[in-house]
Structures are given as C-alpha cells and as structure tokens.
C-alpha cells in the first residue's frame, strides 16, 4: 500500500482531523483574500488593504466552526452565517468571511435531503445577499454582492449533487449485496434439496436391499442343515440383492463426484419399467406380490417415474419387514387424468402392526419425495387389517420441470 493510500485511509478513519485541515485551508484563503483589493488600478492588487482586528477574529471563528461541520452541520451553518452577517455590517473594507458560510452550506446540502437543502439554501442566499446589497459603501449591484449570491447557490447545488451521487452509489452497492445474498441463499437451498434427495435415495436403496438380505439370510440359516439346496438358493438371492445394492449405491454416490473426478456411472435412474424386476426380488424373498398397471404404457417424466418406483420399493420393504410371514402385497399403478396414482396394499396383521404413523424415515421420505413434485401421499392401516400406501403424482407443472433436471 502506497503512502498516499495509507494517508487517505487514515483521514477516512479520522474525519475530525480532515475537517480541521479543511478549516485551516479555508482560514488561509480568507486571510489571504482580505489583503487583496479587487478594484486596484492594475486589477486585483495584493497588499492594497489590511483587515482590521474584528475581521480577523470573525475569520478565525468562522474557520473554527468548520471543524465540527460533520457533527452538527446546521449549527455550524448558523454560526458561520452569524459571523458573516457581522462582517457584512461592520467590515470596511469587507473580508471574505462569507467563505466559511459557503462551505457550511455545502455540508448541509450534502448531509441532508433535497427539501432541507432548498429551504436552508434559499434562506442563506437571500439573507446574505440582501444584507450585502443593503449595507455597506458599495452599490447593491457590485460584483462582490452578486458573487455572494452565486457562490452560495453553487454550494447548495454542489452539495445536493454529491448527496445524490452518494445515495445512488449506496443503492447500487446495496442492490449488488442483496443480489449476492440471494444467490448464496438460493445456492444453499439447492444444495440442501439435493442433499435431501440423495439421502432419500440412499435410504430407499439400503432399506430395500438390506431387508431382502436379512430375510434370505434368515431362510438360509434356518434350512442350512436339512435342505442345503434351498439354503444355496437363498444365499444366491443374498448375493444378488447385495450386488444390486452396491450398484445402486455406486450410481447414487457417483452424483457427488466433481467434474474432474473419474467418470460417474451412466446407468439411468430406476423407474416403473423395472417394476416387474422389483416385484421379483420380493417374490424371491418369500413375499407374494401382485402387480396391476393401468397407466396405458405412457412415458412419465423422469422425476415422476423415479418417485413412483421409490414409493413402491419403500412400501414393499415395509410390508416385508412389518406385515408378517403370511402377508401378501398388491401394487397398482393407474393413470387418472393428469395424475398417476400408485397404491400398495397388504393383508397381514403384521408382527408390530405395521410401521407407526410418522415413525422412522421411510414414510417421511415418501411424503417428502411426493410433495416435492406437487403431489400427495397417505399411509395408514386398512379397515379389516393390513396397511395401505397411496400416492398421487402429477405429470405436469413442477414435475415436468424437475424431470428435466434428474
């Protein structure tokens, strides 16, 4: 950092010192101007006149008041206006004490609003000019009197222009900061939504496949001694389920890779096209599953297709875990107007009466996934026993938009 920049930063941090320097400069200019005779024989002549003691005192007072111009601009203007009026009435020849009032008027215009600038500026201009024209040996049209009117008017206009520019720059900076905060908040929101979506996918994958592995491992342990062939088949299902779980986990975690990381898996996200395959995994685990589809074979947006698959997967996993060994499941997918309705039913009383309403993360994840698409999801016990999961997924609006990003 250069010396000039350090000095500028120091002055910004100490505005009173800056105002003291300004006051000293104004005092020097006033004192120097008081020795100049503007109407000499050869034009302006230096040393042709000498200010009296009262004029020097008024110049010192006017300059001293400017030291506090930032803290009390209107009070400083009143003080400089007073000493200027005294000089206009008593000074002969007059000293340029009014210069301090010009600086004070500029400060008021720069520190206040436009209506205040108009009122204070007009009063200052009128009073100073009127007194200068009506009092003193010079005629009212003398250039010194007109100069007071011009300088006070320029001070008010200049201060108002500076204030307007500061307000404009502040508004632009504030708008830029607000836009930056909005971008950061939007980025955080998108990250949170993506994190939640990935967490739901991981939960669905792990819960489904681990449930199947648990069931098949239990079957294998039960029949290992008496029926080794059936145990071998159960272990094969365990291997297949674990392999599928690893593949889906690899595909899901691959979404978290950076652009420079090794190429992520390109396997498409699961959808209703794999519904029969999903049902077969549960049938192999000992859960009878019936599938009925009346969606007319229509293609679904990617987000809707994935959500429908995950809802069915989670619902069947809950049946496998909670409905008991004698339970059966029914899955239906129906196209109803602009929506796709997914229903999963089971008829078992359940070992623990099914998943508790609002308990765990499975039902919560289903509701969040469906709600993100603008749909609805209900889950609860059926009349007469069993459990029912029903999801309504809209095909348009938000779902279509999300489908393009999945």
């Amino acid at each position: 950092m250069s010396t000039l920049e350090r000095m500028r930063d120091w002055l910004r941090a100490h505005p009173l010192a800056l105002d003291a320097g300004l006051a000293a400069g104004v005092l020097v200019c006033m004192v120097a101007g008081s020795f100049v005779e503007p109407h000499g024989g050869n034009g302006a002549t230096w040393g042709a006149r000498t200010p009296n003691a009262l004029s020097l005192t008024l110049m010192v007072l006017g300059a001293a008041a400017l030291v506090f111009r930032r803290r009390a601009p209107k009070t400083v203007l009143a003080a400089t206006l007073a000493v200027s009026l005294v000089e206009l009435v008593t000074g002969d020849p007059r000293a340029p004490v009014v210069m301090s009032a010009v600086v004070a008027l500029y400060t008021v215009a720069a520190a206040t609003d436009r209506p205040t600038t108009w009122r204070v500026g007009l009063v200052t201009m009128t009073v100073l000019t009127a007194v200068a024209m009506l009092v003193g040996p010079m005629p009212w049209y003398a250039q010194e009197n007109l100069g007071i009117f011009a300088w006070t008017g320029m001070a008010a206009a200049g201060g108002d222009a500076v204030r307007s520019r500061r307000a404009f720059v502040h508004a632009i900076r504030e708008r830029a900061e607000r836009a930056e905060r909005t971008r950061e908040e939007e980025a955080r929101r998108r990250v949170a939504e993506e994190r939640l979506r990935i967490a739901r996918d991981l939960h669905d994958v792990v819960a489904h496949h681990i449930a199947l592995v648990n069931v098949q491992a239990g079957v294998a342990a039960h029949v290992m001694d008496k029926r080794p062939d059936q145990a071998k088949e159960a272990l094969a299902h365990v291997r297949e389920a674990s392999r599928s779980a690893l593949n889906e986990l690899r595909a899901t975690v691959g979404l978290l890779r950076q652009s420079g990381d090794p190429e992520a898996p390109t396997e498409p996200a699961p959808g209703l096209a794999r519904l029969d395959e999903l049902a077969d995994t549960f049938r192999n685990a000992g859960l009878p599953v019936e599938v009925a589809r009346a969606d007319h074979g229509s293609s679904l947006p990617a987000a809707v297709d994935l959500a429908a698959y995950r809802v069915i997967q989670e619902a069947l996993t809950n049946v496998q875990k909670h409905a008991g060994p004698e339970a059966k499941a029914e899955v239906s997918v129906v196209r109803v107007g602009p929506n796709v309705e997914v229903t999963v039913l089971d008829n078992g009383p359940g070992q623990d009466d099914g998943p508790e309403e609002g308990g765990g993360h499975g039902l919560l994840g289903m509701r969040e996934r469906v709600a993100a698409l603008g749909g609805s999801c209900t889950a609860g016990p059926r009349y007469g026993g069993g459990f029912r999961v029903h999801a309504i997924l809209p095909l348009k609006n938000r779902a279509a938009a999300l489908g393009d990003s999945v």
Side-chain angles (χ1 to χ4, degrees):
M1 183 181 294
S2 64
T3 304
L4 182 60
E5 291 177 346
R6 286 197 296 270
M7 182 179 299
R8 183 175 57 190
D9 294 339
W10 186 87
L11 290 176
R12 287 178 179 175
H14 303 81
L16 190 64
L18 179 61
D19 290 338
L22 175 64
V26 172
L27 178 60
V28 171
C29 292
M30 288 191 296
V31 172
S34 64
F35 285 92
V36 175
E37 172 57 53
H39 302 292
N42 297 322
T45 304
W46 170 262
R49 62 179 184 175
T50 303
N52 54 36
L54 178 59
S55 295
L56 288 174
T57 302
L58 293 175
M59 284 187 285
V60 171
L61 293 176
L66 294 179
V67 176
F68 307 98
R69 68 188 187 96
R70 296 177 192 262
R71 295 185 176 182
K74 294 181 181 179
T75 303
V76 170
L77 176 59
T80 56
L81 181 61
V83 296
S84 299
L85 291 175
V86 172
E87 173 62 21
L88 291 176
V89 173
T90 62
D92 188 16
R94 292 172 178 169
V97 180
V98 73
M99 185 182 297
S100 62
V102 170
V103 177
L105 179 58
Y106 167 85
T107 304
V108 170
T112 60
D113 52 21
R114 181 162 295 171
T116 303
T117 299
W118 274 98
R119 291 192 299 268
V120 174
L122 286 175
V123 170
T124 304
M125 292 167 59
T126 302
V127 171
L128 289 176
T129 305
V131 173
M133 288 181 176
L134 298 176
V135 180
M138 292 182 294
W140 67 269
Y141 53 83
Q143 66 179 9
E144 287 84 354
N145 298 335
L146 299 178
I148 293 175
F149 180 84
W151 280 106
T152 51
M154 287 189 294
D160 183 71
V162 170
R163 180 197 56 77
S164 299
R165 182 181 179 278
R166 288 175 181 170
F168 178 72
V169 172
H170 177 72
I172 292 178
R173 184 179 295 112
E174 186 179 27
R175 191 180 303 117
E177 292 175 354
R178 190 184 307 115
E180 183 66 23
R181 288 195 301 268
T182 302
R183 284 194 294 269
E184 292 176 357
E185 292 172 358
E186 179 67 14
R188 286 194 295 268
R189 185 186 65 80
R190 290 181 178 273
V191 168
E193 289 181 352
E194 184 66 13
R195 184 182 296 117
L196 180 60
R197 187 187 68 81
I198 294 175
R200 284 198 298 259
D201 284 343
L202 288 175
H203 172 271
D204 293 343
V205 170
V206 172
H208 164 62
H209 291 290
I210 295 302
L212 295 182
V213 168
N214 180 56
V215 171
Q216 295 293 348
V219 172
H222 183 69
V223 300
M224 179 67 71
D225 297 330
K226 298 180 180 180
R227 302 178 63 182
D229 293 340
Q230 187 174 353
K232 184 183 297 184
E233 182 180 355
L235 291 176
H237 290 316
V238 169
R239 180 181 181 183
E240 180 65 21
S242 60
R243 184 187 63 80
S244 298
L246 289 174
N247 289 338
E248 291 200 35
L249 284 173
R250 188 179 298 113
T252 302
V253 176
L255 298 175
L256 302 176
R257 295 182 183 274
Q258 302 293 330
S259 58
D261 291 342
E263 185 176 354
T266 57
E267 180 181 357
L272 293 180
R274 297 173 55 183
L275 180 56
D276 291 336
E277 178 183 343
L278 177 66
D280 287 339
T281 61
F282 284 97
R283 295 187 184 108
N284 293 333
L287 174 65
V289 179
E290 296 183 5
V291 178
R293 299 188 61 174
D295 52 350
H296 314 299
S298 57
S299 61
L300 305 179
V304 176
D305 201 21
L306 175 61
Y309 180 88
R310 292 303 189 195
V311 168
I312 296 172
Q313 182 184 53
E314 178 62 28
L316 291 178
T317 301
N318 286 337
V319 174
Q320 181 76 52
K321 292 165 60 178
H322 302 288
E326 304 299 328
K328 297 180 181 180
E330 299 178 5
V331 178
S332 66
V333 181
V334 181
R335 173 76 177 269
V336 181
N339 303 321
V340 168
E341 297 189 11
V342 174
T343 305
V344 179
L345 308 174
D346 70 79
N347 63 345
Q351 296 174 345
D352 50 5
D353 296 330
E356 295 183 1
E357 182 68 19
H361 297 286
L363 296 180
L364 178 61
M366 282 194 293
R367 292 192 180 97
E368 290 177 345
R369 185 186 294 277
V370 174
L373 300 176
S376 62
C377 179
T378 58
R382 297 173 61 194
Y383 179 77
F387 205 77
R388 176 180 182 269
V389 175
H390 181 67
I392 301 176
L393 300 166
L395 300 178
K396 296 182 179 179
N397 300 330
R398 191 176 180 184
L402 290 174
D404 296 336
S405 63
V406 175

